[in-house]
Amino acid sequence: MAVMRLALVTLVTIAIGLLTFGGYRLSRMHIIHPGRRKHVRRKRGDKQKPTHLLIVLGSGGHTAEMIAMLFRAITDPDPTKRLDWTNYTHRTWVVSSGDNISAQRAKTFEEKTVRFAEEVITGKTQNDKTRRGTYDICTVPRAREIHQPIHTAPISSLRCMKACYEVLTKRTVEEKDGETGTTTTKVDLPDLILCNGPATATILIFTTILLRLFDFGGADSRGKMRTVYVESWARVKKLSLSGTLLSRVVDRFLVQWPQLEKVNERLEYRGVLV
Amino acid sequence: MAPTSTKKTCFLTVGATASFLPLVSAALTTDFLAALSKHGYSDLIIQYGSVADGKEHFEQSMTETESQRKKSIVNVRGFALDPAGLGAYMREAKGISASKASREKLEEGVVISHAGSGTILDALRLNVPLIVVPNPTLLDNHQLELAEALAEQGYVVHGRLDALVDALEAAEKMRQRSREWPPINSGVHRVVNVGGLAGVMDEEMGFLD
């Protein structure tokens, strides 16, 4: 834990340094202003436009919970509360290097679970390939490997940050197509980022803050890279370390136990999500 | 005593990551095995983990309880880890037959688990009675908080290492009034008509209709 803390403190220091440097961007300071309240985006989104959802799978229990809550959302018996996967024309799944289990779970979710849920709910099979959209799985190096010495943690965190930057700003996605080989699709910056910890997700979120602060590719002015963090269902009375660090940074912060809402005014309880 | 025709399974899991041998020991005691017999259990399956001395510990406990087990109708077996996951064992404890051809009569049993959130969630989804025993040696006590909070709401029985027999009694009673997972969240006034995760995602995307 101490190592992760050190790594994150380093990153926050760098972030603050860049903030000072980027003082001319004062108009965008609201992105990280700690006193800001949670707010619902008011601009009306167009469901017909291409949309890009980015999901971070944090490995182990984090991945299990993320998949569980997405499954619950796409299979909600109430259609008004159900998550429509086809609203997101491209999905980027971010996994840590070496975490093949998470990569496999993302693949299964995209290729089996979503279709299965659709069939069960609507009673018909969706064969329209274009409606299904596209997805890709991106790998970033771990912020810290197990047993990694403490003094190298800031370096590996920076390496992770660089990889996160590349994932967040990628403009093309290559898709392997059974017969025709590889097709390249253009994608815009992620509209929405969904994560539930731990370190890798934290670094990715801090990277979005920097990109939005400098309005990289219109990240802020075009309302891209909105972030949603979901605290683990296993956290009943206290936030996790990632949660504590991100609670005033993300756009929306969901908790799964009502008593956690008292921790600070930005935390929202919308029921159990897993 | 002739084996009963009905199969009732108790599945105990210690998880994959941390060592929790005291839970294995607590189940392999004369008292606990007698309690299983009393409640009509035919099988006890123990997942003891892949820690270095897990297998040795399990086998030693098995030898110690050999004479007791011979008199009992409870058939005990164990394994370290299953790469295919614990789903099949959980379903066996729930009383769901593995193959349709099997004519075996199955009765709902119980799952005894360490306080890992993934295992708890799997058992809750299957709606099988669950005894959660937090590992007292783990420094991070949020697992204890989770077990307490869920026990308070009547979803699980919060078990202790030194009182596993009591926990089994409580789980047998819980069977009659078990609560279904996931909770409908209807008690949350703001959730009505706004939705959980999908609602928040739609709000952020500006999908307002």
Side-chain angles (χ1 to χ4, degrees), chain A residues 162-218:
Chain A
K162 182 173 173 278
C164 288
Y165 165 82
E166 278 158 11
V167 170
L168 285 164
T169 57
K170 69 168 187 225
R171 291 310 181 107
T172 55
V173 177
E174 290 200 340
E175 248 196 316
K176 281 199 191 83
D177 213 322
E179 284 145 37
T180 48
T182 315
T183 49
T184 307
T185 322
K186 277 190 177 163
V187 289
D188 200 348
L189 298 175
D191 293 281
L192 188 61
I193 295 164
L194 201 55
C195 67
N196 61 346
T200 305
T202 310
I203 287 171
L204 187 129
I205 297 289
F206 278 114
T207 313
T208 67
I209 294 301
L210 288 179
L211 291 169
R212 281 165 70 173
L213 193 70
F214 290 99
D215 201 20
F216 182 97

Side-chain angles (χ1 to χ4, degrees), chain A residues 39-47 51 53 65 68-70 72 81-83 87-88 191-192 194 226 228 233-238 251-252 254 257 261 269-274, chain B residues 117-118 120-121 124-125 140-143 145-150 153 181-185 188 190-209:
Chain A
H39 59 284
V40 174
R41 180 152 85 166
R42 291 201 182 81
K43 209 174 83 190
R44 195 176 190 84
D46 185 353
K47 281 186 185 175
T51 41
L53 171 68
E65 273 200 36
M69 70 182 114
L70 289 175
R72 189 173 169 187
K81 293 174 188 171
R82 196 182 300 148
L83 173 62
N87 276 347
Y88 300 92
D191 293 281
L192 188 61
L194 201 55
R226 303 281 298 176
V228 177
W233 171 69
R235 299 293 174 161
V236 180
K237 290 178 186 162
K238 269 192 329 227
D251 295 296
R252 301 295 284 273
L254 302 178
W257 289 91
E261 256 191 338
Y269 173 67
R270 306 262 292 224
V272 178
L273 305 174
V274 290
Chain B
S117 60
I120 296 177
L121 204 50
L124 287 178
R125 281 215 201 86
D140 198 353
N141 66 354
H142 74 264
Q143 291 201 338
E145 285 175 12
L146 181 65
E148 279 170 353
L150 288 171
Q153 298 187 355
W181 191 272
I184 303 153
N185 291 333
V188 190
R190 280 157 300 164
V191 174
V192 178
N193 301 324
V194 291
L197 185 64
V200 171
M201 289 171 74
D202 281 353
E203 284 165 18
E204 286 303 307
M205 291 299 295
F207 298 155
L208 298 174
D209 41 15

Side-chain angles (χ1 to χ4, degrees), chain A residues 107-126:
Chain A
K107 195 164 181 269
T108 307
F109 189 86
E110 285 283 0
E111 290 175 12
K112 294 210 178 87
T113 318
V114 175
R115 290 175 206 189
F116 173 77
E118 210 167 50
E119 273 177 50
V120 170
I121 290 166
T122 64
K124 50 191 177 211
T125 319
Q126 180 57 256

Side-chain angles (χ1 to χ4, degrees), chain B residues 168-182:
Chain B
L168 186 68
E169 300 273 350
E172 290 299 318
K173 280 186 198 134
M174 196 176 99
R175 197 185 304 288
Q176 282 97 47
R177 49 173 181 86
S178 70
R179 300 184 58 186
E180 237 171 86
W181 191 272

